[in-house]
Amino acid sequence: AGIRSALVLTGGAPGFAAAGGDVVRGAPRWDLERQVRLAAGTLVLTGLAAGRFVSPRLRVLAGAVGAGLSFSAATNICAMGKALARMPWNRTAAEHTAETAIGRIPAAK
């Protein structure tokens, strides 16, 4: 791969961290599936509440989300998941590449 100072880590990344290695971790975030459930549930509740208090026609929002979830289950294609995956909080940090991580390996003991 062109990296002459690469090492094989016994125990993988968890073993490296346990040995005192500097491990770069991203901010903890929800799984994408959990984000989809939250968004879908919020849209359904909003559609039902708006249908009750604003206009009965707004209940279509709840039906559309239900139809979208059924389509997603049948085809294994989730448009809401694809949209949420593009949100800024779901992007990985581009600056954490293999080349930048090499300089963080502690000296052998």
Side-chain angles (χ1 to χ4, degrees):
I3 303 172
R4 299 188 197 289
S5 62
L7 302 172
V8 175
L9 304 175
T10 303
F16 181 71
D22 185 18
V23 178
V24 177
R25 299 181 194 278
R29 60 181 177 225
W30 284 6
D31 292 333
L32 192 58
E33 180 183 347
R34 186 176 182 189
Q35 294 177 41
V36 168
R37 291 192 312 254
L38 174 68
T42 301
L43 287 171
V44 168
L45 287 175
T46 301
L48 292 176
R52 170 83 167 126
F53 298 112
V54 179
S55 169
R57 292 182 178 183
L58 292 174
R59 291 184 184 144
V60 171
L61 177 61
V65 171
L69 291 172
S70 297
F71 176 81
S72 174
T75 62
N76 201 25
I77 298 171
C78 185
M80 188 181 298
K82 287 182 180 182
L84 285 170
R86 294 182 181 178
M87 293 293 125
W89 59 83
N90 286 324
R91 294 188 184 151
T92 58
E95 66 271 7
H96 298 302
T97 62
E99 289 79 16
T100 61
I102 295 299
R104 301 171 195 218
I105 298 174
K109 295 179 182 179

